[in-house]
Amino acid sequence: MPFKNRLVVTFRPRYIFRFNKNSTASSNNFDLLKTLLSSETYSALGNVRSIIQKLESENVTGVENVFHRYSSWDIYQSVLSLSYLQKQRQQQRQEQQHPPQQKQISPELISTLTKYSIYSSAVYGWALNVGLRRKLPKTTNNLTNFLKATNLTAADVIHADLKSKTGRPAFIVVKDTTTKTLVVTIRGTLSFKDVLTDLCCEGENVNVETSSTSSWFRRKIVRAPDPNFAAHSGFLTGARSISKRCKSKIATFLEDPANKDYKIVLTGHSLGAATAVLLKALWADSFKGFQTNCYVYGVPCVGEETGYVVSKLDNVVGVVVENDPFATISLGHLVEISRRVGWFCREKEVRERVCKMRGEVGGEIEARVIWEKMEEALKLKAGVDFTTKKFFPPGELYKLAADGKELTRVENRREEFGEFLLKKVGLDFPLHVPNVYEDSMRKLNSSFHKV
């Protein structure tokens, strides 16, 4: 067989792979990446490929289907090159930042965040213990498991709907009589593909649910006055579904004079976190006189950076584990990354140079020059900067070390979450799971309250 258009690449002594340089990654040649990448990276890349193909079929502005146009080898080298440049930029930013001042975070906030991380984890039910903690539950009743984890009883349950389907999240409403709090806990998903797919939706204007002064049962829908009151359409669907199912029960509970001192807490993890934030936005003009706080974990991108939901909705506190990738994924993020990878696929000499730089000492200045060259070329090609708007995580955000040793406030939302980071080890989905948040918060809380 002639080898004119074939390339033989050896990475390990016992493996030899052949790549057809003219074959695109949309063919079976994509499967060859499985031998080069970790299983997590390969799976992540496969999911990203599916989403980009879907976005292209829907004519989303700016998306570039690199998997259809370029070979697996070109994509592999491009991903490595872009990952290296991103790492260099991260290191440069960290060197320029001032050391975090953890002393500004109160022990009371740590305790509160720890408490509701338990709620957000417990709502997943027995499957969490079996799948992630490798523990067999005494019962497969999800409500029983939730109550046990949160030290509540059946008498504390206001509403429970723990069966979910598309656009209809599972959730539970309970009363905490010790703190006089009504807690709405929304379940997310443990499916990597579901998370990635759900994050790639377009925005939709939010309608605030207001209540008549005579009765909370007479609900009226009005357009929000803020022109930037837009958010993730998929999460909005879930929030509206929950409101429809439980709002009247919450109103009935709060109308009782015996409950006049109660406050409301909305909490959740991952997709449940995003839904909780948007539920708070929907209820912005409801339950007058009752404070509503929102504590969320692994919260993904839900709206535009300067929009109401992300930057103006009060009493929203979010925790993101360091390097949790889902705080940097939205439609705009994926459009941007597809174009950057596409540029490297076209610039063979540049990406080969960057691949060589990965094994060299230094290279910071050259890496910065290459990055600026790429950005300028993409802007010139498109005529404007990236056309599809990015979404960002909402509220007052804190970055949590996975080992539970540090919690720092995020001062610059765009700098921290403005770029979808590619890593050789994959998308670090294990950092996103709910038990990581709960366990890390428990460790942090213990260290804060040691006598």
Side-chain angles (χ1 to χ4, degrees), residues 200-389:
C200 298
C201 292
E202 295 182 335
E204 178 184 336
N205 288 331
V206 180
N207 296 328
V208 178
E209 297 179 357
T210 60
S211 304
S212 169
T213 55
S214 60
S215 172
W216 280 331
F217 297 102
R218 294 175 57 192
R219 190 178 66 182
K220 182 181 178 182
I221 305 298
V222 297
R223 177 69 62 185
D226 193 312
N228 293 322
F229 203 21
H232 187 290
S233 59
F235 299 148
L236 268 175
T237 300
R240 288 169 179 150
S241 170
I242 291 175
S243 182
K244 183 178 180 179
R245 285 178 279 165
C246 76
K247 189 177 183 182
S248 63
K249 289 185 178 180
I250 293 176
T252 300
F253 180 86
L254 295 177
E255 284 182 325
D256 186 336
N259 302 324
K260 62 182 179 62
D261 294 328
Y262 268 74
K263 54 184 176 290
I264 302 171
V265 165
L266 307 175
T267 190
H269 162 265
S270 187
L271 305 186
T275 305
V277 171
L278 292 181
L279 186 60
K280 187 178 188 307
L282 291 179
W283 289 352
D285 295 333
S286 300
F287 310 124
K288 294 293 186 179
F290 293 89
Q291 182 178 345
T292 302
N293 295 314
C294 192
Y295 301 103
V296 287
Y297 308 85
V299 57
C301 304
V302 300
E304 296 176 17
E305 181 183 15
T306 58
Y308 176 84
V309 173
V310 169
S311 62
K312 300 174 184 178
L313 190 63
D314 61 354
N315 297 324
V316 174
V317 179
V319 177
V320 178
V321 165
E322 189 173 11
N323 294 324
D324 182 341
F326 294 101
T328 58
I329 298 179
S330 70
L331 192 59
H333 285 88
L334 285 186
V335 167
E336 179 182 80
I337 206 70
S338 74
R339 293 176 61 193
R340 285 176 174 166
V341 172
W343 183 82
F344 269 107
C345 285
R346 293 186 294 274
E347 299 290 335
K348 179 181 178 182
E349 292 184 2
V350 176
R351 72 170 185 265
E352 289 182 347
R353 172 58 193 143
V354 175
C355 285
K356 289 181 180 179
M357 288 168 57
R358 294 175 68 249
E360 299 174 355
V361 178
E364 295 85 357
I365 296 177
E366 186 176 0
R368 185 161 54 246
V369 171
I370 293 175
W371 182 274
E372 292 172 354
K373 179 181 178 181
M374 173 186 65
E375 293 291 86
E376 186 63 28
L378 290 175
K379 289 178 183 178
L380 288 173
K381 181 181 177 182
V384 294
D385 203 349
F386 301 108
T387 53
T388 303
K389 290 184 178 180

Side-chain angles (χ1 to χ4, degrees), residues 173-189:
V173 183
V174 294
K175 60 179 179 179
D176 182 347
T177 56
T178 59
T179 61
K180 291 190 177 298
T181 306
L182 203 63
V183 186
V184 181
T185 307
I186 305 170
R187 189 166 70 201
T189 179

Side-chain angles (χ1 to χ4, degrees), residues 101 104 397-398 408-416:
Q101 298 179 1
Q104 296 179 348
L397 293 168
Y398 291 87
T408 56
R409 182 166 178 172
V410 174
E411 301 295 342
N412 189 318
R413 196 187 313 270
R414 173 165 288 275
E415 190 172 280
E416 192 70 41

Side-chain angles (χ1 to χ4, degrees), residues 40-53:
E40 294 87 354
T41 305
Y42 177 77
S43 175
L45 206 58
N47 288 328
V48 171
R49 179 179 67 156
S50 299
I51 290 172
I52 287 179
Q53 289 173 339

Side-chain angles (χ1 to χ4, degrees), residues 446-451:
S446 296
S447 65
F448 256 73
H449 292 87
K450 283 183 178 179
V451 178

